[in-house]
Amino acid sequence: KQNTDNSNTLTYINDALINNDKLTNITTNNIWQNKVIWGNITDHIYNIYETKLNLQKYSLIDYNYINNQPYINTKMRIILFDWLWSVAKKFTLKYESTVLGLYIIDKYLEHNIVSRKKLQLLGVTAILIGCKIEEIFFPEIRDFCFITDQAYTVQQIKKYEIKLKIL
């Protein structure tokens, strides 16, 4: 009977990890009780389980952050995101680049106060970072200056890029 319990535990963990489900029905004690039979495999599974939980905690965005922003609101965020989608379309960027840029914006806004004047700068800089990660050929920084109607200089975008890379 113990072999069946151990097998069910490992199957549950494996299925949960493959399907990106939260591992809620398994406990650390349950895994360590099975260590006698499974040995190093249990250590490896426990490490995967722990890493997966830590990544979930870090990567989730608390969208209530907008309530803590004194200078911007939800409507402004939506306008920015719509404009960035049109920028992505104009530059023919990959979907992944744009989504990554939008994620960077949300993650930054979750932890930092941004003024209205800097919101568009944050947007183009985040999309630039997304492009550098996902695209083979991406627009130059001066193209992002042009798309903002010269509202920001190349130097301003570079400085903000450094700020965002510290996330």
Side-chain angles (χ1 to χ4, degrees), residues 136-147:
I136 295 173
F137 301 104
F138 53 89
E140 295 181 24
I141 296 177
R142 63 187 166 140
D143 295 328
F144 286 102
C145 293
F146 175 78
I147 206 75

Side-chain angles (χ1 to χ4, degrees), residues 37 54 62 70 105 125 129 141 157 159-160 163:
I37 294 171
N54 288 336
D62 178 15
I105 292 167
T125 306
I129 292 171
I141 296 177
I157 293 176
K159 284 181 183 177
Y160 220 81
K163 271 186 173 182

Side-chain angles (χ1 to χ4, degrees), residues 2-165:
Q2 191 173 1
N3 268 343
T4 306
D5 291 342
N6 292 336
S7 180
N8 288 340
T9 300
L10 291 175
T11 302
Y12 173 77
I13 293 171
N14 187 47
D15 290 346
L17 291 173
I18 289 171
N19 297 322
N20 288 328
D21 293 337
K22 290 184 180 177
L23 297 167
T24 54
N25 296 334
I26 194 78
T27 64
T28 307
N29 290 337
N30 194 339
I31 292 173
W32 288 110
Q33 287 170 357
N34 298 325
K35 184 173 172 71
V36 175
I37 294 171
W38 294 98
N40 290 334
I41 294 172
T42 306
D43 292 339
H44 183 63
I45 291 172
Y46 181 76
N47 289 337
I48 292 171
Y49 167 68
E50 191 174 43
T51 302
K52 182 78 170 166
L53 285 177
N54 288 336
L55 286 174
Q56 281 181 348
K57 289 175 190 171
Y58 177 74
S59 63
L60 294 177
I61 296 172
D62 178 15
Y63 287 99
N64 290 324
Y65 74 79
I66 204 76
N67 297 330
N68 299 326
Q69 290 288 339
Y71 307 113
I72 61 174
N73 57 37
T74 305
K75 188 175 181 181
M76 295 168 76
R77 178 185 172 273
I78 291 169
I79 291 169
L80 175 69
F81 279 28
D82 284 345
W83 178 74
L84 289 172
W85 278 110
S86 65
V87 167
K89 186 176 181 182
K90 181 171 180 143
F91 287 147
T92 61
L93 302 178
K94 288 182 180 177
Y95 172 81
E96 293 82 0
S97 305
T98 310
V99 170
L100 180 58
L102 300 180
Y103 174 81
I104 290 169
I105 292 167
D106 278 335
K107 204 64 179 166
Y108 188 79
L109 288 174
E110 184 179 23
H111 301 288
N112 300 283
I113 303 294
V114 176
S115 68
R116 288 182 187 187
K117 291 181 180 180
K118 300 286 184 176
L119 188 59
Q120 189 180 29
L121 177 60
L122 169 63
V124 294
T125 306
I127 294 294
L128 174 65
I129 292 171
C131 289
K132 286 183 175 184
I133 294 170
E134 293 291 336
E135 302 285 340
I136 295 173
F137 301 104
F138 53 89
E140 295 181 24
I141 296 177
R142 63 187 166 140
D143 295 328
F144 286 102
C145 293
F146 175 78
I147 206 75
T148 62
D149 203 23
Q150 307 300 332
Y152 307 103
T153 65
V154 172
Q155 280 305 105
Q156 287 175 308
I157 293 176
K158 285 180 180 179
K159 284 181 183 177
Y160 220 81
E161 184 181 4
I162 292 169
K163 271 186 173 182
L164 290 181
K165 285 188 176 179

